[in-house]
Amino acid sequence: MDPVRTSDHSLPEHHLALDLVRSTEAAAIAAAHWAGRGDKHSADQAAVDAMRAKMSTLPFNGVVVIGEGEKDEAPMLYNGEAVGDGRGPAYDVAVDPIDGTTLTAKGMSNALSVLAASPRGSMFDPSALFYIDKLVTGPEAAALVDITAPVADNVRAVARGKGVDPGHVTVCMLDRPRHKDLADQVRAAGARVRFIPDGDVAGAVMAAREGTGIDMLLGIGGTPEGIIAACAVKCLGGVLQARWAPRDENERRGVLDAGHDPDRVFCTDDLVTGDGAIFVATGITDGDLMSGVRHGPDRATTESLVMSSRSRTVLLVRSEHRIDPAGHTAPTATSTTTKA
């Protein structure tokens, strides 16, 4: 039976999560049409349009805290936009219709459509700076790591928490020139490095989740993606630590002008307060977390992760969808499997 609820606004937030996944499913199906076609802008626009249309029908009162940009720059899903049907519970919403636009355009693995939500006022405003330095790991080592400590200390801490030698620890990071020294330090500590070309939300989820082959994520990435990842990490019981990463003195001055301490270390609960976080993601292309969209002439199948921090539930949701001539999607069958 399709789990979507459209009328009872008093349902627990894990039911809202099952509603919200319809938005990432629609975005993923729209984006997958462009996978491998080399046009990341058209893929992103298709995903944004589909996500926005689906969200407008869902039973909650949302405000986009992390979207596609300011209103004048992003006609869809801009920061401050109201989403949902307005009659349900009040939530902050962070959206990334495609985490990995280049991955999608090139037909590469691990592109996702992502949405996170938490009760109104609980998401940190990431507008002061675009980049942060991040450390993510799962519950086994969550209390042992420290982003201000040397990389080797954190590798050993994760190994200790997981009961393995440092040589069995794999650290994920974005494949960027800025991370060359970081990768050298990880290897010097005896651990392995797994570079990813894009999509550090997926990387953070893999680092926090058991059984993915990734034990920790390190490195500098987008602040908005960090807030989205914090919602997922909270649901998984792991930890995300972060600190500002200004690229120059002007960016450092911007942090100060916004009233922030440029040396502050953020933890998961600083980025997403309380215990009502929701994270949903649908695979666009095949990846480590889930399969990508499978298209037929008028059908599509999707695979998604649905997480709730309050219940610490992780569901794998597989859905079949009918696609009408106008491109609108409607689920026809859904199955869920509890993963944690």
Side-chain angles (χ1 to χ4, degrees):
M1 179 180 293
D2 176 25
V4 174
R5 279 85 175 174
T6 57
S7 59
D8 185 347
H9 302 299
S10 64
L11 291 165
E13 88 280 345
H14 70 274
H15 288 170
L16 176 59
L18 288 170
D19 288 328
L20 291 174
V21 76
R22 295 310 182 200
S23 296
T24 57
E25 288 172 343
I29 291 169
H33 175 77
W34 292 94
R37 297 177 184 268
D39 186 348
K40 66 180 183 179
H41 299 295
S42 293
D44 192 41
Q45 188 63 60
V48 169
D49 291 346
M51 179 176 281
R52 185 174 189 265
K54 188 65 70 173
M55 263 203 296
S56 68
T57 69
L58 301 182
F60 77 115
N61 177 10
V63 172
V64 176
V65 174
I66 299 169
E68 294 288 287
E70 299 304 319
K71 182 176 181 179
D72 291 341
E73 299 173 1
M76 302 289 188
L77 292 172
Y78 55 84
N79 297 343
E81 181 176 357
V83 292
D85 68 7
R87 296 178 294 158
Y91 276 83
D92 290 342
V93 179
V95 298
D96 197 350
I98 302 181
D99 179 42
T101 53
T102 299
L103 299 178
T104 302
K106 292 183 176 182
M108 298 171 68
S109 61
N110 285 323
L112 306 175
S113 177
V114 176
L115 187 153
S118 61
R120 182 69 50 82
S122 61
M123 276 191 191
F124 184 81
D125 180 358
S127 60
L129 189 64
F130 189 75
Y131 287 108
I132 52 174
D133 189 17
K134 308 169 194 174
L135 181 157
V136 177
T137 193
E140 302 91 346
L144 305 177
V145 293
D146 179 357
I147 195 171
T148 66
V151 169
D153 287 359
N154 284 316
V155 168
R156 287 191 289 267
V158 170
R160 186 166 66 253
K162 296 199 169 196
V164 299
D165 293 329
H168 290 97
V169 171
T170 298
V171 180
C172 176
M173 64 185 71
L174 288 170
D175 189 4
R176 301 289 186 271
R178 62 178 178 263
H179 289 153
K180 181 183 184 303
D181 182 59
L182 180 62
D184 289 343
Q185 292 179 61
V186 169
R187 290 166 176 149
R192 302 181 181 94
V193 174
R194 178 171 171 186
F195 284 116
I196 54 175
D198 286 294
D200 64 342
V201 172
V205 174
M206 288 190 288
R209 191 167 175 226
E210 184 67 25
T212 65
I214 301 298
D215 302 294
M216 182 165 53
L217 176 138
L218 293 175
I220 296 171
T223 307
E225 289 83 358
I227 311 303
I228 295 172
C231 287
V233 170
K234 184 179 280 276
C235 295
L236 292 164
V239 68
L240 186 152
Q241 296 178 5
R243 52 190 174 180
W244 300 114
R247 291 171 293 182
D248 53 37
E249 185 56 35
N250 286 337
E251 289 193 354
R252 182 177 175 84
R253 175 55 55 187
V255 172
L256 291 169
D257 291 346
H260 298 296
D261 177 0
D263 298 317
R264 178 181 177 183
V265 172
F266 297 88
C267 292
T268 317
D269 290 338
D270 299 317
L271 300 176
V272 184
T273 62
D275 191 27
I278 293 168
F279 176 89
V280 298
T282 301
I284 298 171
T285 58
D286 288 343
D288 297 279
L289 291 171
M290 65 202 94
S291 298
V293 175
R294 298 287 187 269
H295 266 293
D298 59 353
R299 304 262 169 190
T301 60
T302 57
E303 194 167 273
S304 306
L305 285 177
V306 177
M307 308 183 194
S308 166
S309 68
R310 187 164 291 142
S311 63
R312 287 285 170 85
T313 300
V314 180
L315 298 176
L316 182 67
V317 178
R318 295 185 177 93
S319 298
E320 297 179 4
H321 307 262
R322 182 181 65 255
I323 306 174
D324 69 20
H328 303 128
T329 64
T332 58
T334 294
S335 65
T336 61
T337 304
T338 302
K339 301 298 287 184

